[in-house]
Amino acid sequence: MIYGHLSAPDAYEHLLANEAWRFAFDWLKSVTPDIEPGIRPLRGEDIWINVHGYDTLAAEQCRFESHRRYVDLQCCITGGECMDWALASGLTVDTPYDAEKEVGFWLPPTGEATRVRMVPGSFVIFHPSDAHRPKVRDGVNPAVFKLVVKLDRKLLR
């Protein structure tokens, strides 16, 4: 997991040597709060986005998930949420990975997970080894409007 804010490029500048990361961050910095919700390709199936919003929930109502083909670059546009992180290898499978949906679900860790607070401009990167639990209420914002850039792992090797 990598966590940072778009206004502090030292959190991600080491990634910009890779053309796919450079493309994703350049595109991300051009996003405005009036972006239309929806799923659309930026570069076919290799890089695509999901712009969406939802009401946040108590942590117990949210699920840990992970992906295998894509790396998530999630960015908060407005509102806010918390996200929890844990290594997938230390968790127990809840719902096995579904290749068609590109997601698997995990039971929460028995100990503490690492929590990050997403505010406008903050981003988090989740790799396949990173189980993450989005949608967690941050105690301030009742909802979040965000986007997820999906980058095919083959571009990042």
Side-chain angles (χ1 to χ4, degrees):
M1 177 188 75
I2 299 172
Y3 175 72
H5 197 279
L6 293 175
S7 67
D10 57 332
Y12 59 89
E13 67 187 350
H14 64 285
L15 298 173
L16 302 181
N18 177 286
E19 193 279 331
W21 282 120
R22 193 168 46 256
F23 173 85
F25 276 100
D26 285 347
W27 183 87
L28 194 57
K29 290 186 279 186
S30 72
V31 170
T32 61
D34 61 344
I35 187 171
E36 289 292 319
I39 296 172
R40 54 192 170 277
L42 295 179
R43 282 196 183 162
E45 291 186 8
D46 287 343
I47 303 176
W48 54 277
I49 59 166
N50 182 3
V51 181
H52 60 288
Y54 46 75
D55 293 334
T56 54
L57 305 167
E60 307 79 50
Q61 296 175 282
C62 305
R63 298 175 78 187
F64 276 87
E65 63 184 58
S66 66
H67 314 287
R68 291 187 184 168
R69 178 177 174 186
Y70 293 97
V71 171
D72 279 6
L73 169 54
Q74 301 198 21
C75 186
C76 178
I77 301 169
T78 61
E81 70 180 326
C82 288
M83 289 192 178
D84 292 336
W85 169 87
L87 279 174
S89 61
L91 301 180
T92 302
V93 171
D94 184 17
T95 304
Y97 176 78
D98 181 328
E100 190 172 309
K101 294 180 181 176
E102 221 291 284
V103 68
F105 293 97
W106 304 91
L107 295 175
T110 55
E112 291 292 317
T114 298
R115 180 164 286 178
V116 296
R117 185 161 181 256
M118 300 296 289
V119 298
S122 63
F123 70 87
V124 64
I125 296 170
F126 295 116
H127 292 87
S129 60
D130 298 320
H132 52 284
R133 177 167 56 180
K135 300 184 181 181
V136 177
R137 187 175 298 125
D138 68 2
V140 177
N141 299 284
V144 65
F145 185 60
K146 66 192 266 185
L147 65 83
V148 181
V149 180
K150 295 283 199 169
L151 294 103
D152 193 308
R153 292 178 55 213
K154 71 182 180 189
L155 301 175
L156 307 177
R157 294 188 177 119

